[in-house]
């Protein structure tokens, strides 16, 4: 599988689906919000802040975010080596849009849950 690009079966060249499938992943969203709220963090600090993510999934998520230019990784030479992660300007420019989506979700959550209950009775 080519991890550089995510292809949709019906619309394989759609850039919107390609980008949204990466940033709307649940782990990516959690890492984005965690780094936005705390700033620069080391791997173990991120892992502690998101306790239900495995180390492997966090590693994969951070690598994907770095390859998409959403996270900057800084290696600090020390013994042991320290690695810090911070959001890039690109990621910071995305956060107001995600905040709007989160606000919309919270505003309509009760109505949506009520409609689901009616639908599945």
């Amino acid at each position: 599988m080519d991890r550089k690009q995510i292809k949709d079966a019906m619309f394989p060249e759609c850039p919107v689906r390609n980008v949204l499938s990466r940033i709307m992943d649940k782990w990516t969203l959690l890492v984005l919000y965690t780094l936005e709220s705390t700033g620069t963090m080391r791997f173990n600090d991120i892992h502690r802040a998101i306790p239900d993510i495995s180390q492997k999934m966090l590693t994969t998520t951070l690598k994907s975010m770095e390859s998409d230019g959403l996270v900057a990784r800084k290696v600090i030479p020390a013994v042991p080596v320290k690695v810090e992660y911070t959001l890039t300007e690109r990621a910071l420019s995305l956060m107001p849009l995600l905040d709007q989506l989160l606000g919309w979700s919270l505003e309509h959550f009760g109505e949506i849950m009520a409609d689901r209950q009616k639908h599945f009775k």
Side-chain angles (χ1 to χ4, degrees):
M1 178 173 119
D2 182 8
R3 293 188 179 265
K4 294 181 196 137
Q5 188 163 344
I6 298 165
K7 298 228 180 210
D8 180 90
M10 289 184 64
F11 304 100
E13 301 306 319
C14 181
V16 174
R17 289 178 188 226
N18 185 283
V19 171
L20 287 180
S21 66
R22 288 285 283 259
I23 63 174
M24 298 308 287
D25 170 81
K26 79 175 185 177
W27 298 122
T28 300
L29 286 174
L30 286 172
V31 171
L32 283 168
Y33 276 108
T34 300
L35 287 172
E36 181 195 33
S37 66
T38 57
T40 300
M41 296 178 77
R42 293 179 60 195
F43 182 91
N44 285 333
D45 296 328
I46 300 169
H47 193 249
R48 276 191 288 279
I50 310 171
D52 53 337
I53 191 171
S54 69
Q55 286 189 355
K56 181 180 179 181
M57 183 53 66
L58 180 55
T59 299
T60 300
T61 301
L62 287 168
K63 284 182 180 180
S64 293
M65 292 175 71
E66 185 180 11
S67 72
D68 286 349
L70 299 173
V71 167
R73 180 177 184 266
K74 181 180 178 184
V75 178
I76 300 165
V79 178
V81 172
K82 294 181 182 181
V83 179
E84 295 179 338
Y85 297 90
T86 190
L87 294 182
T88 63
E89 289 299 318
R90 181 178 298 154
L92 292 171
S93 73
L94 173 64
M95 297 312 295
L97 302 171
L98 294 178
D99 288 341
Q100 286 182 337
L101 180 60
L102 179 64
W104 182 91
S105 300
L106 292 171
E107 181 181 337
H108 296 285
F109 180 75
E111 302 161 7
I112 291 170
M113 292 297 109
D115 287 343
R116 283 185 190 171
Q117 287 288 49
K118 287 189 275 186
H119 182 76
F120 290 108
K121 280 190 175 183

